[in-house]
Structures are given as structure tokens and as C-alpha cells.
Amino acid sequence: MPATAAPVVLVEGPVSDEQLEEIRRAAPAARCERVARQEIGDRIEEADIVAGHVGPAELARARHLRWVHTWSAGVDHSLFPELVASEVVMTCSKSNGAVPLAEHAMLLMLMLNRDAVRWIRAQDERRWAPFTHGELAGQTCGIIGLGYSGADLAIKAKAFHMRVLGMRRSQEPVPGVDELYTRERLHDFLRECDVVVITAPRTPETLGMLGDAELRVMKESAFLVTFSRGGIVDDEALLRALREGWIAGAGLDVHGQEPLPEGSPFWTAPHTIVTPHNGATTKATRQRAIDIFADNLRRFCDGEELRNVVDKAAGY
């Protein structure tokens, strides 16, 4: 991708002075300027590149825009029909949150397996209340989606002496995964798992992937953990599963509606841990996103292939 002379780069978001300098050092020929979200509309006509969010109204006014980079790994909130149909390239920050997301999944798995909420409640009440709890060793962890975070989780789960199953399109071996399943064998996969972790992107293909039929084939002793995007599990089906005991519980970092409304029944659903889409909110995650964009900007200016290019039609 040959770059234009002195491309104008608008960098949106909480970017520190040091991070902005890192971006500028990566491509000295580019004109990199930090902007607030509300400024993009005023500056979009001059921009060649935007690191941040571009909406339909802004895209309609763009004259030179060639590339949009999103600071998140997922792009479902950033894609819209006009952008998909355009020649504007989109890249994302996938891999930046893989490590903390996998850690968060392990945290939720441990808390659910050991019913850690009982200890928290007992501490709040200053009550000494030991009980017999579970352990992850020997359990089967099923991971739907084996991108960066899913692959990192597989290694972590293996370190806890778990059997690890994976589901993905490609059947290329993944370190730590004992057996791979295709989407066509989803029910067979679910029947095997003691905990199912969803790390897949939200796309038309994955939306509503787990509904009544899928949750009913899971073990009554199994847990569900979600931390990629809400909507892959049907919310109403999941509420029925939790209330009627089809599964043992859930750890939910992502939700069909975000922020989760105050009146949502998930706040009080049985054996459910809710976290506010917060699993990857670390300083290191943000820095890795900066590193990815800085490297891509250098590549752009040098006419090299970009990393993390999004298939806009596929949605990831």
C-alpha cells in the first residue's frame, strides 16, 4: 500500500504524550495530531488516516481517508454498511488484550468452580464458613474461538491440569488444545465440557450461536463464561438456563446490552458473576494497541503490508 506524501493522521483517544511520540517516531514523515472524539468530524476532510472511530456522517465527508484503525480487538461496533462498501482499509488491535482476557476467564472459572462468592459474602458478614468446593484439575474446558485470547487461555487451562477442547473454523493444531471441533459438532462439543468459554468475535455467523437447544445439551454441572462480545449467547435462553438449572452458573464479562441496565435480571441471576466488560482494561492492553498502530503506521509509510487487516464483509 503506497503512502501519500506526508499523510495526515488523526489519533483519537486517551493517548499520552509519550505514546503520541512513539507513534510519531514510527513514521516521521506523517503529520500525527491528537484529537478528541468530537473533533474528528471537523477534521475528517483532511485526514488520510484515523486511529479511533469514524461514523457514517464522518465517512460521507471524508475526501482522502484511506485507513481507519480501531483501538479495540473487536470491530462489530465500528463497522457499518457504508464503511464495508468503501475502499477504506480497516485494521484493529487484536492480540492486545489476549493475556488479560485469558486471565479474566481463569478468574471467573475459579470463582465459579469454588463458589467464591460464598466466601465474599461470609467475609462481609464476618462469618467463618468453610465448605467443600470444586477444583479445575481434571475438568474439561471448551473454548469457542481460538484467536489470540482463546489460544492463550488454552495454555493457561492446560497449566491447571484441565482437558482442553477447542472449536474453530480451521483445524490447524493449537498448543494446549487436546481436540478440535467444527461448528457442525457444536452439540457434541458442549456435552463434553465442564466449562464453556466463548472468545469468538460477534459476527452474523456467531450471533445467537448458543440458544435454548445448545444450553440444554450442556451438563447441569457445567459453567458458561463469556468475554468476547455479548449476543453470541441468546440472553433470554441464558436466563432460563440459569433460573431453571440447565447449567450450574455463568461468569459474564460481556452482555447483549451494554452498559448492563440497572434493572437487568442478570444482576440477580442464580450463580452468576457479572463484570462490566472489564477483563482487558489494563495499561498493558492499551500500550499494546499503541504498539500495533505505530508499527502499522511505519508499514503504511514504507509501503508494506499492514497487520490486523479486517475482513469487513466477514466482520473480523
Side-chain angles (χ1 to χ4, degrees), residues 289-309:
I290 296 291
D291 295 343
I292 290 167
F293 177 65
D295 179 58
N296 260 351
L297 184 58
R298 177 197 63 77
R299 289 167 178 261
F300 180 91
C301 291
D302 290 346
E304 297 179 11
E305 184 177 354
L306 300 182
R307 298 165 53 196
N308 289 3
V309 174

Side-chain angles (χ1 to χ4, degrees), residues 70-91:
T70 176
W71 295 120
S72 64
V75 298
D76 51 298
H77 298 307
S78 301
L79 285 175
F80 50 92
E82 295 87 348
L83 182 59
V84 172
S86 76
E87 295 184 0
V88 175
V89 173
M90 171 172 274
T91 59

Side-chain angles (χ1 to χ4, degrees), residues 168-246:
R168 67 186 309 197
R169 282 183 172 183
S170 167
Q171 294 299 287
E172 286 290 319
V174 178
V177 176
D178 295 297
E179 186 176 354
L180 285 169
Y181 286 71
T182 61
R183 174 71 179 270
E184 291 70 30
R185 298 184 61 203
L186 175 59
H187 285 206
D188 294 334
F189 169 88
L190 294 171
R191 290 187 184 97
E192 290 288 317
C193 299
D194 297 297
V195 58
V196 174
V197 184
I198 298 178
T199 76
R202 176 174 169 165
T203 68
E205 183 180 352
T206 62
L207 188 64
M209 181 178 180
L210 270 66
D212 279 359
E214 289 72 32
L215 293 168
R216 283 187 180 277
V217 302
M218 289 176 62
K219 299 177 182 179
E220 291 185 1
S221 59
F223 297 106
L224 178 70
V225 172
T226 66
F227 71 85
S228 53
R229 284 292 186 268
I232 296 175
V233 182
D234 179 85
D235 280 352
E236 293 303 317
L238 179 54
L239 281 170
R240 284 192 290 273
L242 293 167
R243 288 168 171 168
E244 298 177 20
W246 306 352

Side-chain angles (χ1 to χ4, degrees), residues 89-110:
V89 173
M90 171 172 274
T91 59
C92 67
S93 301
K94 66 181 179 183
S95 82
N96 68 327
V99 168
L101 283 175
E103 290 179 356
H104 198 71
M106 292 304 307
L107 168 71
L108 292 173
M109 290 162 63
L110 284 163

